[in-house]
């Protein structure tokens, strides 16, 4: 009987899959085992009901077509973080498209022109929707296989759960989170589990694809039992692999591709270590088994192949723009404009808004920069607040202009600490409206968003 039931249940799906419409990506409510097994399941919102959402894995140059189906009780949209795509596909509700209402669909269709580690997530009420679980990885493979034994995807997140029921705290608009460091969780997970264990062998070389999907947590990470190299930041390969020496930071929205060689011996456990208040915790454990053949450590890896058209020429003569970030708790913001009206900080607090860019809270009618496609621009970002902010530019990668005038690695999200001024340079890409915002999502929704217009 179970065979009959199984067949019946499979059939409609099989028929649907054979018709030629785009593949579906359905956002829906579901219950998943997020907390350890002795806890109840947690109700999340997930892509295809999964945590993390369905992995999208394509080859460089492939077309990605997904019919987004909104089965949520709330309007939503999907943003493809870090991809250079047509602006109409960027998924920013209210800027590049209307939010997709419950029961409705939207067809996303773009070409994955850059190889690397990317991710997709909700971009409507993202503070709530990403916290509820609406994200997944988007991996674009290099044309040729890279020289590793295997790879692992590690999506890091922290969840704010009720310690008894394991249900999500659904206060998504608390003034404290919005005015301080953002929503931080009390349950830290990798790929939706706190007990991630990935067996490895002596001397194996792994590619680790790290994604920080947390609302606000900056992960401080380290390696134990591995030798490692940073191969790429935010999807974009480094010209030379960077040896990992000591701990490193992964801010919300950021990714890192590491190559790691197992140096721990058989019977030991290697770790991706998370450092919290100077204490080390296992973010992911890698128990080491003996190698079948005589294992031998490898040479320093060769760089990953670069993505096309990534140079940032003419930085010296590029037009300059300034972004002054103010506000938040313990900040100096006296007043700023909200919806065209100048308000005192006290009035802003009453409106649950806390942050300004160049004196304005939230999105403006006129862009921060009006650019023509192909031109290089520089933006100097001053963080006149006491909190770090992870500034993310859609649709383009930038390079930081370092103190010595050199250009830093290509990135799409830059962590700027309180009191710092940092400058980025980028080439204006595809025409359209590209949002530029803090990826601490409580900050995005309480003022920290602007945009650049490319024509
Ligand atoms: Cu990862 Cu505007 O977002
Ligand atoms: Cu911020």
């Amino acid at each position: 009987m179970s065979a009959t039931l199984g067949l019946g249940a499979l059939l409609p799906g099989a028929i649907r899959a054979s018709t030629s419409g785009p593949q579906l990506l359905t956002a829906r409510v579901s219950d998943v085992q997020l907390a350890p097994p002795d806890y109840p399941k947690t109700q999340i919102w997930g892509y295809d009901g999964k945590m993390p959402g369905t992995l999208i894995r394509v080859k460089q140059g492939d077309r990605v077509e997904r019919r987004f189906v909104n089965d949520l009780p709330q309007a939503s949209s999907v943003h493809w973080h870090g991809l250079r795509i047509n602006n109409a596909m960027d998924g920013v509700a209210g800027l590049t498209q209307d939010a997709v209402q419950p029961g409705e669909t939207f067809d996303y269709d773009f070409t994955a022109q850059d190889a690397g580690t990317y991710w997709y997530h909700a971009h409507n009420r993202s503070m709530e929707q990403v916290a509820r679980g609406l994200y997944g990885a988007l991996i674009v493979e290099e044309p040729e296989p890279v020289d590793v034994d295997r790879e692992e995807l590690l999506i890091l997140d922290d969840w704010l759960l009720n310690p008894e029921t394991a249900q999500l705290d659904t206060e998504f608009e608390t003034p404290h989170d919005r005015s301080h460091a953002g929503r931080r969780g009390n349950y830290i997970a990798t790929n939706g589990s706190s007990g991630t264990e990935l067996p490895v062998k002596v001397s194996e070389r792994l590619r680790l694809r790290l994604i920080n999907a947390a609302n606000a947590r900056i992960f401080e990470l380290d390696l134990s039992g591995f030798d490692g190299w940073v191969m790429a930041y935010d999807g974009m390969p480094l010209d030379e692999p960077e040896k990992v020496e000591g701990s490193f930071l992964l801010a919300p929205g950021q990714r890192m591709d590491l190559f790691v060689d197992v140096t721990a011996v058989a019977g030991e456990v290697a770790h991706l270590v998370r450092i919290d208040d100077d204490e080390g915790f296992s973010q992911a454990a890698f128990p080491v088994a003996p190698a079948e053949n005589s294992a031998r450590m490898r040479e320093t890896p060769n760089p990953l192949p670069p993505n096309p058209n990534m140079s940032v020429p003419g930085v010296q003569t590029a037009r300059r723009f300034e972004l002054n970030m103010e506000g938040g708790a313990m900040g100096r913001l006296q007043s700023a404009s909200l919806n065209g009206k100048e308000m005192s900080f006290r009035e802003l607090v009453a409106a649950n808004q806390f942050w300004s860019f160049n004196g304005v809270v939230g999105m403006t009618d006129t862009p921060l920069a009006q650019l023509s496609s192909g031109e290089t621009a520089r933006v100097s970002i001053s963080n006149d607040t006491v909190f770090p902010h992870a500034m993310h530019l859609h649709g383009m990668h930038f390079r930081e202009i370092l103190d010595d005038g050199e250009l830093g690695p290509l990135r799409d999200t830059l962590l700027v600490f309180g009191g710092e001024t940092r400058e980025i340079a980028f080439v204006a890409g595809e025409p359209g409206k590209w949002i530029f915002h803090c990826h601490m999502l409580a900050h995005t929704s309480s003022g920290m968003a602007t945009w650049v217009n490319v024509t």
Side-chain angles (χ1 to χ4, degrees):
M1 187 176 89
S2 66
T4 315
L5 273 179
L7 189 62
L10 277 174
L11 218 47
I15 289 166
R16 207 180 307 134
S18 69
T19 65
S20 56
Q23 240 173 288
L24 306 183
L25 182 69
T26 305
R28 59 181 179 84
V29 180
S30 77
D31 295 307
V32 299
Q33 194 65 49
L34 193 61
D38 42 330
Y39 284 85
K41 288 188 172 181
T42 304
Q43 184 175 91
I44 64 150
W45 294 2
Y47 290 110
D48 298 326
K50 292 195 275 198
M51 174 36 53
T54 304
L55 168 65
I56 300 178
R57 189 173 183 116
V58 297
K59 271 212 164 347
Q60 187 167 16
D62 280 357
R63 184 168 169 189
V64 180
E65 280 182 278
R66 287 293 182 283
R67 175 160 296 163
F68 169 59
V69 181
N70 186 359
D71 269 354
L72 302 169
Q74 215 176 66
S76 192
S77 65
V78 186
H79 168 56
W80 315 90
H81 182 127
L83 271 86
R84 292 192 281 174
I85 56 178
N86 185 307
N87 188 250
M89 295 290 121
D90 198 43
V92 180
L95 187 69
T96 67
Q97 68 168 96
D98 291 334
V100 182
Q101 296 302 317
E104 304 207 326
T105 67
F106 187 92
D107 288 350
Y108 291 98
D109 181 356
F110 54 89
T111 301
Q113 49 177 307
D114 297 316
T117 302
Y118 303 95
W119 65 304
Y120 64 94
H121 61 78
H123 217 295
N124 187 48
R125 301 174 59 99
S126 14
M127 161 71 184
E128 167 174 359
Q129 296 193 358
V130 174
R132 286 188 184 269
L134 286 170
Y135 59 77
L138 199 169
I139 293 179
V140 185
E141 292 172 5
E142 293 78 15
E144 305 294 332
V146 304
D147 185 22
V148 293
D149 296 311
R150 55 178 243 254
E151 66 167 62
E152 293 292 348
L153 170 65
L154 303 172
I155 310 182
L156 281 43
D157 195 3
D158 61 344
W159 301 79
L160 191 53
L161 299 183
N162 177 307
E164 260 104 66
T165 63
Q167 298 311 302
L168 275 166
D169 183 319
T170 53
E171 296 295 322
F172 293 107
E173 314 227 311
T174 65
H176 184 275
D177 289 350
R178 290 160 79 94
S179 60
H180 289 71
R183 178 182 168 107
R184 305 237 299 173
N186 55 0
Y187 177 70
I188 301 184
T190 302
N191 301 336
S193 155
S194 63
T196 302
E197 267 204 18
L198 301 159
V200 294
K201 297 196 183 97
V202 167
S203 298
E204 229 179 358
R205 174 168 285 178
L206 279 76
R207 177 186 195 157
L208 301 182
R209 297 179 184 265
L210 308 182
I211 300 175
N212 183 351
N215 253 254
R217 179 178 295 265
I218 301 163
F219 281 87
E220 181 178 1
L221 302 168
D222 203 350
L223 298 173
S224 150
F226 290 119
D227 270 352
W229 290 268
V230 182
M231 304 301 293
Y233 288 111
D234 298 345
M236 292 294 167
L238 294 174
D239 298 337
E240 285 306 324
E242 244 170 43
K243 184 95 213 275
V244 175
E245 320 263 16
S247 69
F248 52 92
L249 299 179
L250 193 69
Q254 292 184 329
R255 288 90 62 217
M256 267 169 114
D257 283 62
L258 304 177
F259 281 10
V260 296
D261 292 351
V262 177
T263 54
V265 300
E268 290 183 343
V269 182
H271 295 278
L272 176 67
V273 178
R274 179 184 77 251
I275 301 169
D276 267 347
D277 298 323
D278 290 324
E279 241 195 292
F281 299 87
S282 180
Q283 183 68 32
F286 302 83
V288 184
E292 281 117 32
N293 306 310
S294 64
R296 170 167 83 70
M297 297 306 288
R298 304 191 201 199
E299 308 284 304
T300 301
N302 292 320
L304 294 167
N307 285 314
N309 306 322
M310 293 311 297
S311 66
V312 184
V315 169
Q316 286 318 312
T317 53
R319 280 202 289 154
R320 296 175 184 223
F321 300 88
E322 262 167 40
L323 182 69
N324 192 35
M325 309 157 72
E326 291 181 286
M330 299 165 285
R332 289 197 295 240
L333 184 65
Q334 301 287 329
S335 71
S337 144
L338 174 66
N339 301 327
K341 190 167 161 259
E342 194 66 18
M343 289 193 180
S344 68
F345 190 67
R346 188 190 293 258
E347 289 171 306
L348 291 171
V349 169
N352 211 9
Q353 295 292 323
F354 299 95
W355 310 90
S356 68
F357 284 168
N358 295 343
V360 180
V361 178
M363 294 290 274
T364 44
D365 294 337
T366 50
L368 170 72
Q370 171 64 51
L371 306 170
S372 31
S373 186
E375 94 167 278
T376 299
R378 320 170 43 140
V379 180
S380 170
I381 306 166
S382 300
N383 181 353
D384 192 9
T385 82
V386 302
F387 294 96
H389 302 289
M391 289 300 298
H392 171 47
L393 176 62
H394 281 213
M396 288 153 263
H397 279 67
F398 49 77
R399 290 185 188 271
E400 184 174 0
I401 304 169
L402 303 171
D403 287 341
D404 57 6
E406 296 284 294
L407 296 180
L410 287 161
R411 298 218 72 141
D412 62 38
T413 306
L414 181 74
L415 182 60
V416 185
F417 285 96
E420 282 185 346
T421 296
R422 312 263 295 271
E423 193 172 15
I424 60 170
F426 60 94
V427 176
E430 295 269 338
K433 297 174 173 180
W434 301 104
I435 193 171
F436 183 36
H437 66 90
C438 176
H439 222 288
M440 275 76 171
L441 299 174
H443 295 171
T444 324
S445 54
S446 54
M448 299 195 109
T450 184
W451 57 293
V452 303
N453 194 30
V454 179
T455 50

